[in-house]
Amino acid sequence: MKTEDINSFFEKVEKSSNIVLFVHQNPDGDAIGAALTLGNLLNKLNKNVDIVSPNKFPTFLSWMIGSENIIVFSEQADVVKFKMENADMLVALDFNAFTRVGNSLGEILANSQVYKVIFDHHLEPDKGFDLYFSKIKSSSTSEIMYEVISKSNYFHLFDNEMAENIYVGIMTDTGSFSYSCNNVSTYNAVADLMRFNIDGEAIHRKVYDTYSENRMRLLGLCLSERLVVLPEYSASYIHLSKSDLSKYGYQTGDSEGVVNYGLSIQKINFTALFTERENKIRISFRSKGLFDVNKFARTHFNGGGHRNASGADSFDSLEETVEKFENLLKLYKYDLNF
C-alpha cells in the first residue's frame, strides 16, 4: 500500500465526524471482520461510526464484538439513508461493485457525493470512489485492512479485539488456509496477530463448530440428493430450491461453504451452487487451477469476483439457470479437462 494513500485516508478521517461503513450482501467473515476492525479503530479516534449490511449476516458471526450494532438496510432503510446524508465519509468493504450491496442501496451509494473509499481484493473495482485500497493478490480484505493500519500512525491503537476480527476475515476467506494464501504476507500478518494473544483454535470453533441441526441436515440434502456430477466436463453443481430452504428452516449463512464440496471430488475442476431466493437465483462458482470463474461469471451471468471464486445472480427460473449452465459447459469442455 502506498504510504501517501494511507496518510491521505487518515487525514480525511481526522477531518470527519460521521463515517458509514458498508459490507456486501450476504456478508461473510471477511467483510464483517474488516468492518468491525475499522469501526473499532475509528471509535477510538472519537468518530461516530455506523456499519451497514444490506441484509442479515450469518449467526455464526454474531459472537464478534460489535456485530450487534450493525444496521441492516433491508430492515432500517430510512435510518441508513439518514446516516448517509449526514456522513463525511463512506467506506466500502470487501466488494468491488456498487451492485454488490443490492440495486437500491447500491444506487444511493453510487450517486452519493460524499467522499468514498474502497477496501477490497476483488478484480476490476467500479469507478466512482475517491480513494482505492485495492490489492487483488491479498488473501482477504481483512489482510488489506491490517496492512493499512499497521503502516499507519495509529497502529498503537490496534488491540486483541481487532486482531480477532482480522483473523476471522483471513481464516474464512482462505477456507482455513486452504486456498488464496500462497503469499508470505498472509502468514506474516497471522503471526503478527498471534502476538495480540488471540486464540486461533477457539476462533475456529466459534465459526465452524456452531452449526444448527437444520444446517447439517441441509448439507446432507445437498450432497445426497442435490449434487450433480458431470465427469465429461470435469464439473459439478448443487441446486437448492426455495422449498428445500424452507423445509430446513434456512437462515442466512446456512449455505456458506457448500459450494466447495463440489471441488472435493476427484477430477472435478469447476463447480457451482444455485440457490433459489425470493426473486432471483444466487450463484456461487468455484474452480481449480487456471480456469477463470471471474471471467465466466462476468461473461455469462453479469457477476464476478476472483479467478477461482466468483458469484452472480440469475433472474431466470432455477431450472432455466441450471439448463443454461449445463449448455455453457459444452463450450468449455477442453478448458476444463486439464
Side-chain angles (χ1 to χ4, degrees):
M1 294 297 164
K2 295 180 180 179
T3 301
E4 54 265 37
D5 288 341
I6 295 173
N7 292 338
S8 177
F9 172 69
F10 283 104
E11 286 172 5
K12 182 64 178 178
V13 166
E14 290 286 3
K15 297 175 183 178
S16 301
S17 297
N18 304 308
I19 302 173
V20 184
L21 315 181
F22 298 86
V23 297
H24 54 75
Q25 279 184 315
N26 306 312
D28 53 14
D30 187 24
I32 298 296
L36 291 176
T37 299
L38 182 57
N40 190 328
L41 179 64
L42 297 178
N43 281 326
K44 289 187 176 185
L45 296 175
N46 298 314
K47 306 302 174 182
N48 296 316
V49 185
D50 292 289
I51 301 175
V52 174
S53 174
N55 57 352
K56 290 183 178 180
F57 58 91
T59 56
F60 59 79
L61 299 175
S62 61
W63 61 271
M64 299 173 73
I65 297 174
S67 64
E68 68 277 6
N69 297 319
I70 294 175
I71 304 172
V72 178
F73 178 76
S74 61
E75 299 175 352
Q76 294 181 282
D78 290 340
V79 172
V80 173
K81 292 174 184 177
F82 176 81
K83 298 284 187 181
M84 293 178 70
E85 290 169 358
N86 291 277
D88 303 300
M89 182 190 294
L90 305 176
V91 182
L93 295 156
D94 198 38
F95 60 92
N96 60 347
F98 291 111
T99 55
R100 288 288 283 113
V101 293
N103 292 333
S104 179
L105 180 55
E107 183 177 355
I108 298 171
L109 184 58
N111 292 331
S112 174
Q113 298 304 304
V114 176
Y115 188 85
K116 292 191 281 287
V117 183
I118 183 173
F119 290 82
D120 187 50
H121 66 131
H122 296 90
L123 296 165
E124 303 177 49
D126 275 355
K127 296 179 180 179
F129 293 93
D130 298 286
L131 182 61
Y132 289 78
F133 292 99
S134 179
K135 191 173 181 180
I136 296 168
K137 292 184 178 180
S138 182
S139 69
S140 56
T141 297
S142 292
E143 184 183 332
I144 293 172
M145 184 61 65
Y146 178 72
E147 181 180 352
V148 169
I149 296 174
S150 65
K151 291 182 178 179
S152 75
N153 295 323
Y154 301 94
F155 189 47
H156 63 282
L157 298 175
F158 196 84
D159 59 19
N160 168 270
E161 183 182 314
M162 296 184 201
E164 281 196 340
N165 293 334
I166 294 294
Y167 188 85
V168 169
I170 296 175
M171 179 186 72
T172 55
D173 240 36
T174 61
S176 297
F177 306 98
S178 63
Y179 52 79
S180 301
C181 56
N182 278 335
N183 294 314
V184 172
S185 62
T186 302
Y187 296 96
N188 285 338
V190 171
D192 287 347
L193 297 176
M194 288 298 170
R195 295 186 176 94
F196 287 87
N197 197 34
I198 66 171
D199 187 336
E201 294 176 8
I203 292 172
H204 190 279
R205 287 195 298 271
K206 289 177 182 178
V207 173
Y208 293 111
D209 297 340
T210 57
Y211 285 18
S212 66
E213 179 183 346
N214 275 344
R215 183 179 178 186
M216 290 297 290
R217 293 189 182 280
L218 178 64
L219 174 60
L221 174 76
C222 290
L223 300 181
S224 65
E225 298 182 38
R226 299 293 183 264
L227 172 64
V228 177
V229 180
L230 302 167
E232 65 271 32
Y233 304 116
S234 298
S236 67
Y237 65 86
I238 294 171
H239 55 96
L240 290 170
S241 67
K242 285 192 293 185
S243 60
D244 291 333
L245 301 182
S246 177
K247 179 179 179 180
Y248 292 97
Y250 178 83
Q251 296 183 24
T252 302
D254 279 357
S255 59
E256 185 77 21
V258 169
V259 64
N260 297 314
Y261 284 92
L263 282 187
S264 299
I265 303 170
Q266 188 177 25
K267 298 182 180 180
I268 296 300
N269 298 319
F270 181 28
T271 193
L273 171 66
F274 302 95
T275 308
E276 186 179 29
R277 302 292 174 84
E278 192 59 39
N279 56 355
K280 64 183 179 183
I281 309 301
R282 182 61 190 160
I283 313 172
S284 295
F285 296 115
R286 297 292 185 271
S287 69
K288 296 175 183 173
L290 298 178
F291 187 75
D292 192 338
V293 292
N294 170 68
K295 185 176 179 180
F296 183 90
R298 285 180 179 273
T299 302
H300 302 294
F301 292 96
N302 196 32
H306 303 285
R307 185 182 70 185
N308 297 121
S310 290
D313 291 323
S314 169
F315 297 95
D316 295 325
S317 69
L318 179 60
E319 293 75 14
E320 290 169 334
T321 302
V322 168
E323 182 180 7
K324 177 180 178 179
F325 175 74
E326 289 195 359
N327 287 330
L328 286 169
L329 289 177
K330 299 173 185 176
L331 304 176
Y332 293 91
K333 181 175 182 178
Y334 295 104
D335 297 311
L336 288 167
N337 287 306
F338 52 80

